[in-house]
Amino acid sequence: MEWWVSMPKVELHAHLNGSIRHSTLLELARALGEKGVIDFSDLEHVILKKDRSLREVFELFDLIHIITTDHMTVTRITKEVIEDFAAENVVYLELRTTPKANSSIGMSKRSYVEAVLKGLRAVSTVDVDFMSDNENSERLVNSLGPTTNHKYNVNTRKRIVVRLLLSIDRRETTEAAKETVSLALEMKHLGVVGIDLSGNPVVGEWITYLPALKYAREQGLHITLHCGEVRNSKEIRDMLNFLPQRIGHAIFLDEEDWEKLKSYNIPVEICLTSNIRTLSVPSLDVHHFVDLYNAKHPVVLCTDDTGVFSTSLSDEYRIAASTFGLGKKEMFELSKNSVEFVFADNGVKEELRSIFNSAAKSFI
Ligand code: 6MZ
């Protein structure tokens, strides 16, 4: 098996609907086309297009949401996304998704998240460690085999720990954002570990989400923000001063912001392919990963949207290694260090550390 695929990895920035399999998206779109809900021939090229501006990416998300937002489909894509990450030896996945309400099909934000949780429990091809309601929020693994053996072996049945982040979409009102936070709090015992702020970065104002984010933090939820995906110095400054536990992207920071980011030591979720595909960064050789990595600032390689950007976490590691001239030892260490920035509890962290320690013998 290819080295980058077999190396254990941690994924901290993956949007559910952005990670949908191409084949599934096309299949679902074709079925809706046959029912006359959408015009498939008009949409096929949009789905198959490779390079998209940030604006076009968000147009595609609106289309994906029309195609995927019913309970059964949400369950199906969750199951598939988890299987896909586990297949490339992602041992911990923090999957994020925006709870959506659509009264015409009887969907509430709660029932949307329940459909996601159902998908998590439905995985059968790999063992999934998730939180269960049944036994006083115990960690369960949907496997027949022992769960205490945390040795890493690519040849045995794969095992993945999955936790959830609920996303606030920048189009939402303060009230809607608060509803998402309340839901996350109610579902903490089911493995919801935090809140993400995402969505089209040219839409909405920081002040709108701030009350919900403050409340989330007061109540002990972890917070990660999409920060600096477009130029907006005031917002970037406000976000950094909020002291989130992690930020995603961090592209358009100015000198003062970089210093602040580094002095606050806020880990950055780096999405190389996404940044290039959306033309947010002109080329990989000028990507801010290099500066952050050299400064020993905490960084985590992530995919953002494996489906929309046709990538995988293994690809992101391979691309980083070849672009920035890093060896396998450095890449293994980078992957291992990601464990320190997961939002799951110490028990999970300990388990992940032991997985990486046991894998180290074979990988470096
Ligand atoms: C900001 C993004 C994103 O939540 O429906 N999303 N937000 N920047 C990005 N960079 C490209 N990629 C994805 O997954 C899709 C949603 O995730 C957010 C957007 O709000 C998008 O609608 P869910 O599962």
Side-chain angles (χ1 to χ4, degrees):
M1 195 190 299
E2 203 208 348
W3 199 87
W4 303 108
V5 176
S6 56
M7 179 180 78
K9 291 171 290 293
V10 167
E11 171 62 82
L12 300 185
H13 187 134
H15 299 270
L16 174 62
N17 277 284
S19 308
I20 183 172
R21 285 179 192 161
H22 245 137
S23 54
T24 300
L25 188 58
L26 284 170
E27 178 196 320
L28 294 169
R30 203 169 284 123
L32 282 191
E34 278 160 17
K35 283 189 197 156
V37 180
I38 58 171
D39 185 342
F40 181 69
S41 56
D42 266 6
L43 296 181
E44 194 177 9
H45 74 279
V46 180
I47 294 173
L48 293 175
K49 194 170 178 222
K50 278 259 182 288
D51 284 318
R52 301 182 177 90
S53 66
L54 205 54
R55 185 179 56 79
E56 288 173 319
V57 165
F58 287 98
E59 284 168 6
L60 177 61
F61 278 126
D62 286 342
L63 171 64
I64 292 178
H65 289 143
I66 293 172
I67 298 172
T68 61
T69 308
D70 66 74
H71 294 115
M72 253 173 60
T73 308
V74 168
T75 298
R76 170 180 173 180
I77 64 174
T78 305
K79 176 177 178 286
E80 291 180 354
V81 166
I82 292 169
E83 286 172 355
D84 291 349
F85 276 113
E88 57 160 338
N89 293 297
V90 169
V91 291
Y92 176 87
L93 166 65
E94 226 161 72
L95 187 61
R96 56 185 78 188
T97 193
T98 321
K100 298 167 189 75
N102 179 356
S103 55
S104 68
I105 54 162
M107 178 181 278
S108 63
K109 285 191 174 192
R110 176 189 303 278
S111 70
Y112 176 94
V113 182
E114 280 165 357
V116 171
L117 291 167
K118 197 169 166 192
L120 214 136
R121 289 189 290 264
V123 177
S124 57
T125 54
V126 297
D127 296 345
V128 183
D129 172 318
F130 59 96
M131 303 291 287
S132 160
D133 214 3
N134 304 331
E135 311 188 11
N136 300 325
S137 307
E138 249 182 71
R139 284 172 64 189
L140 285 190
V141 180
N142 60 345
S143 73
L144 302 172
T147 61
T148 46
N149 178 5
H150 300 144
K151 295 256 179 314
Y152 186 75
N153 183 345
V154 285
N155 297 319
T156 55
R157 190 174 152 90
K158 296 190 193 308
R159 183 171 193 279
I160 183 168
V161 180
V162 181
R163 295 294 180 267
L164 298 176
L165 302 178
L166 300 191
S167 301
I168 295 169
D169 187 309
R170 296 181 61 108
R171 286 177 292 199
E172 291 186 291
T173 61
T174 303
E175 281 318 304
K178 279 188 178 162
E179 192 193 335
T180 296
V181 171
S182 300
L183 191 57
L185 286 169
E186 284 169 41
M187 293 190 155
K188 235 172 148 177
H189 66 294
L190 295 172
V192 176
V193 288
I195 294 288
D196 155 56
L197 174 67
S198 54
N200 191 338
V202 300
V203 172
E205 306 263 356
W206 168 244
I207 194 80
T208 309
Y209 330 113
L210 189 57
L213 293 169
K214 274 188 177 159
Y215 177 58
R217 180 151 66 196
E218 279 160 20
Q219 297 297 317
L221 287 166
H222 294 85
I223 294 169
T224 176
L225 306 173
H226 281 61
C227 174
E229 210 177 359
V230 291
R231 216 174 282 285
N232 185 344
S233 21
K234 164 108 180 52
E235 181 178 277
I236 292 170
R237 213 145 296 161
D238 288 344
M239 284 184 167
L240 294 176
N241 287 336
F242 180 75
L243 290 177
Q245 275 105 336
R246 299 196 310 251
I247 59 171
H249 299 296
I251 302 166
F252 292 99
L253 275 62
D254 63 23
E255 222 27 70
E256 202 183 310
D257 301 325
W258 286 122
E259 276 169 29
K260 198 168 264 187
L261 176 80
K262 287 176 186 168
S263 72
Y264 293 168
N265 211 31
I266 302 170
V268 181
E269 302 151 2
I270 296 278
C271 308
L272 296 172
T273 299
S274 163
N275 297 162
I276 295 299
R277 288 281 168 87
T278 57
L279 313 174
S280 310
V281 174
S283 65
L284 280 176
D285 51 318
V286 296
H287 198 282
H288 48 290
F289 170 86
V290 184
D291 174 57
L292 292 173
Y293 182 83
N294 289 339
K296 300 204 177 345
H297 187 83
V299 285
V300 185
L301 288 182
C302 303
T303 53
D304 210 5
D305 301 291
T306 50
V308 169
F309 300 123
S310 308
T311 188
S312 67
L313 194 54
S314 312
D315 280 342
E316 296 300 303
Y317 272 86
R318 189 193 7 232
I319 291 167
S322 65
T323 311
F324 309 121
L326 298 171
K328 289 180 173 167
K329 182 173 184 306
E330 282 89 357
M331 296 314 287
F332 183 85
E333 289 299 328
L334 186 64
S335 182
K336 181 179 170 203
N337 285 343
S338 312
V339 171
E340 303 313 316
F341 316 120
V342 308
F343 287 167
D345 61 29
N346 284 333
V348 171
K349 273 192 191 170
E350 269 308 314
E351 177 184 328
L352 295 172
R353 287 186 195 116
S354 85
I355 288 173
F356 276 92
N357 288 338
S358 107
K361 297 173 201 94
S362 340
F363 286 89
I364 52 178

